[in-house]
Amino acid sequence: MKLSSRKKGFTLIEIIVSFAVFTILMGVVIFGFQDTKKHEELRGASLQMVSNIKKVQNYAQTGHEFEDEVPAGGYGLHIDLSNQSQYLLFADKSSVSTATGCVDDAGNQRYDNEDGYSPSCIEDKIIGAGQVNFDQGVTINKIEVKEINKSEIILDTSHDFDLTFKNLKPFPFIGWLNQNINRDPGNENFNSEKIEYVNIYLSHEDLNKCRKIHIIGASGAVNEESSDCP
């Protein structure tokens, strides 16, 4: 007796359903990969900034020479908050007074070679390859400065910001100025050793979480972590 056999295949509906399920799964995988990539870009930028902060701190503590001399004011990190996608590292070799102009070999824990300020002192120099630029979409979201026994201050895009370390001292010196104020020591809003902490928040335009860089004033210890954006 010969048995008959029937060939079976997929129906059109089964093929359409399978293709739809495959498309959805691929979309989920691709979206998850892109989201993870953005988180890693943000974390990488934060870790790089932490590394650079520790670099200028170490340079100051060890009396590192720049252009055959130790900068009088130490080393620092400068952020122009009107351009939140970059920052620079600098050697603090001069100070500024609107009355006397630039004072060489003085140092004031500020970057005094910023375009748009008067006077601009070219003695302060960028160290390394130049400005550090973040990956596309990564920016400095906010900066918080807390002085001991005082309220927390949040800096916005109308300011520039200097985080500096004096020679042989581990703790940070902080300074900021309104963009419309000349660089005169008498106009500084804040420049003191009495820092409780500094928080620098980095964000990505496509993410709702930030990375927080936390600098402790008393010791200069630096760390970073995931955080809600302020």
Side-chain angles (χ1 to χ4, degrees), residues 27-47:
V28 170
V29 170
I30 292 172
F31 177 81
F33 172 78
Q34 291 176 337
D35 192 60
T36 299
K37 182 174 182 292
K38 291 170 184 175
H39 277 287
E40 287 304 310
E41 288 174 349
L42 179 59
R43 184 169 182 267
S46 180
L47 290 173

Side-chain angles (χ1 to χ4, degrees), residues 49 53 76-90 110-111 114 117 134 140 142-143 155-156 159-163 175-177 179 183 198 200-202 213:
M49 180 175 271
I53 291 171
L77 181 147
H78 172 77
I79 301 170
D80 178 354
L81 284 171
S82 66
N83 187 350
Q84 295 166 279
S85 62
Q86 63 185 27
Y87 61 95
L88 59 85
L89 311 180
F90 70 96
R110 304 303 309 269
Y111 180 62
E114 179 71 72
Y117 290 98
F134 296 128
I140 297 168
K142 286 284 191 312
I143 296 177
L155 304 185
D156 58 24
H159 297 85
D160 72 321
F161 171 81
D162 294 299
L163 172 68
W176 67 81
L177 286 175
Q179 292 277 358
R183 279 190 178 276
V198 179
I200 302 174
Y201 292 89
L202 270 58
I213 299 172

Side-chain angles (χ1 to χ4, degrees), residues 145-153 190 194 196-197:
V145 179
K146 178 69 169 63
E147 186 183 6
I148 296 171
N149 299 324
K150 290 189 177 181
S151 300
E152 189 174 67
I153 297 172
F190 186 83
K194 299 179 180 179
E196 186 173 336
Y197 62 79

